[in-house]
Amino acid sequence: MDRDGFCRALLAWYDREKRELPWRGTQDPYRVWLSEIMLQQTRAEAVAPRYEAFLTRFPTVAALAAADEEAVLKAWEGMGYYSRARNLRRAAMEVVRRGGFPRSAKEWQKLPGVGAYTAAAVASIAYHEAAPALDGNQARVLSRLLAFEGTVDTPQRLRAQAEALIDRERPGDYNQALMDLGSGVCTPRAPKCGLCPVAAFCAARAGGDAESYPHLPPPIARREVEVTVVLAYLGGRVLVRRRPSKGLLAGLWEFPNFSEGTLEDTLPGARATGELARSRHVFTHLVWNMRGLRAEAEALPEGMRAVDADELRALPFPTALRVYRQIAMRELGGEAEKDV
Ligand code: SF4
């Protein structure tokens, strides 16, 4: 592959066609870092309005470091993968403690929640380090460009090739160009090779089988769990509890629920008064198949709170329970939140 020609074609296309996104053009490490954390599991179009709102709430790394965890989780609500928000705050505290941001990808990786991809993205954009931001997106594009025959079970399989290709003058723009190419042109299904600015350099296209790359291992099996979610009312309020500080959805609030046992085990003395909607939520390794139950509680169980609509709206709640929170908001006489 003619690396210089490839980089020239890619960057010329990026200069013409790059997506207008609120974090494009900035080299402020706080803003670049925040955008990369938000983009880890979420599409750019969904991130854009949340990115601006988060920056309004926490405009500097010092403001984020000084915030309490619940406020940060609240600002993150609806984005899912809440460990990102917890790590972001912990990393902000570390940055403030050490008196500034790290300046190399290697140092960035020492912060909580910053893996090889994010470290490379931030170091290349904010500090012009020639570090390839190798995620699934970039790995797919590279495996097609090079007709890579190995199994790409992790993007790191392509690290040596990625390091050989990256543009040394404009590594941040190069990484962002590959992000844009992977999201709009070299898509997982039906890549638009006819519109591709680097088609002339692409081995998979030359072989006529672009879509067969990357070669992936079989998908992971997700465990399916039946969960009963209880909207238990007590004196015009609904019962909620906080999840443990470690594990799935750590530290978020939820309605009492159970996957084994009975309503009586979870809420002694409560009386079921009706069935509610079913809902399904897919986590990385787990699926919750949820059924809703309305109930009248007899007393406030230890470790729970009874909240009204305003309090419920203010608590950080997992996206997985959004359907039930909408129902509770309506039944408590509050305004249901818009889906985001
Ligand atoms: Fe992807 Fe097709 Fe471009 Fe190759 S030519 S990089 S397969 S879009």
Side-chain angles (χ1 to χ4, degrees):
M1 151 105 69
D2 163 16
R3 186 188 83 184
D4 290 346
F6 164 72
C7 289
R8 258 198 314 278
L10 180 68
L11 288 167
W13 171 79
Y14 179 71
D15 290 339
R16 278 195 320 272
E17 307 279 341
K18 68 175 169 238
R19 288 179 291 174
E20 290 303 324
L21 296 166
W23 48 88
R24 285 277 158 87
T26 183
Q27 293 181 9
D28 172 354
Y30 176 58
R31 288 168 176 254
V32 175
W33 169 46
L34 175 65
S35 69
E36 289 300 333
I37 297 291
M38 287 186 155
L39 287 164
Q40 277 173 6
Q41 312 280 353
T42 313
R43 283 180 309 108
E45 293 69 22
V47 165
R50 296 185 166 282
Y51 168 81
E52 304 274 23
F54 195 95
L55 279 172
T56 303
R57 181 79 182 73
F58 306 111
T60 62
V61 69
L64 179 58
D68 67 34
E69 184 180 282
E70 194 149 310
V72 179
L73 290 175
K74 183 66 195 166
W76 201 263
E77 195 175 86
M79 296 271 295
Y81 299 92
Y82 286 85
S83 59
R84 290 184 294 171
R86 276 187 289 272
N87 283 331
L88 199 62
R89 174 174 163 274
R90 283 174 48 221
M93 292 162 81
E94 176 63 18
V95 168
V96 168
R97 192 191 62 73
R98 52 178 279 167
F101 285 102
R103 298 191 68 87
S104 70
K106 200 169 159 212
E107 288 297 311
W108 269 95
Q109 275 197 71
K110 294 179 183 166
L111 291 178
V114 179
Y117 167 79
T118 304
V122 178
S124 66
I125 296 168
Y127 301 108
H128 307 289
E129 181 177 332
L134 193 51
D135 64 348
N137 211 31
Q138 187 167 133
R140 179 179 65 255
V141 178
L142 292 186
S143 75
R144 288 174 177 168
L145 282 164
L146 303 167
F148 183 73
E149 295 301 340
T151 305
V152 184
D153 49 352
T154 147
Q156 299 310 317
R157 287 276 165 125
L158 285 156
R159 173 149 296 282
Q161 290 85 341
E163 281 175 352
L165 270 183
I166 190 168
D167 189 89
R168 303 305 194 253
E169 303 289 318
R170 298 174 59 190
D173 287 346
Y174 170 95
N175 278 329
Q176 293 183 90
L178 279 186
M179 290 171 206
D180 281 11
L181 192 71
S183 93
V185 180
C186 194
T187 45
R189 302 231 170 84
K192 302 174 188 71
C193 301
L195 300 175
C196 180
V198 290
F201 302 89
C202 182
R205 190 196 187 207
D209 58 352
E211 218 172 328
S212 73
Y213 296 91
H215 300 327
L216 296 172
I220 45 167
R222 291 192 173 96
R223 191 162 58 89
E224 303 247 348
V225 181
E226 305 298 313
V227 179
T228 301
V229 179
V230 189
L231 299 190
Y233 293 94
L234 180 67
R237 291 165 168 255
V238 70
L239 301 192
V240 292
R241 65 187 182 191
R242 194 162 190 199
R243 290 184 65 87
S245 59
K246 288 202 163 39
L248 184 70
L249 306 175
L252 298 180
W253 289 78
E254 65 176 4
F255 300 112
N257 60 79
F258 56 94
S259 43
E260 286 173 3
T262 64
L263 176 62
E264 180 65 22
D265 298 334
T266 302
L267 290 165
R271 187 172 55 86
T273 57
E275 291 276 337
L276 298 169
R278 288 188 162 272
S279 181
R280 178 178 161 88
H281 190 81
V282 180
F283 297 95
T284 311
H285 298 285
L286 185 70
V287 178
W288 278 2
N289 292 312
M290 292 171 280
R291 81 184 248 266
L293 202 58
R294 187 187 293 110
E296 292 294 334
E298 198 182 60
L300 184 62
E302 201 183 324
M304 294 200 195
R305 272 174 64 183
V307 295
D308 63 17
D310 288 343
E311 290 165 312
L312 182 59
R313 185 186 296 109
L315 291 173
F317 243 69
T319 307
L321 295 176
R322 186 167 57 201
V323 167
Y324 299 106
R325 183 158 73 156
Q326 299 278 36
I327 295 171
M329 295 288 291
R330 269 202 308 275
E331 295 191 339
L332 289 169
E335 213 178 292
E337 291 186 329
K338 290 192 190 94
D339 281 357
V340 283

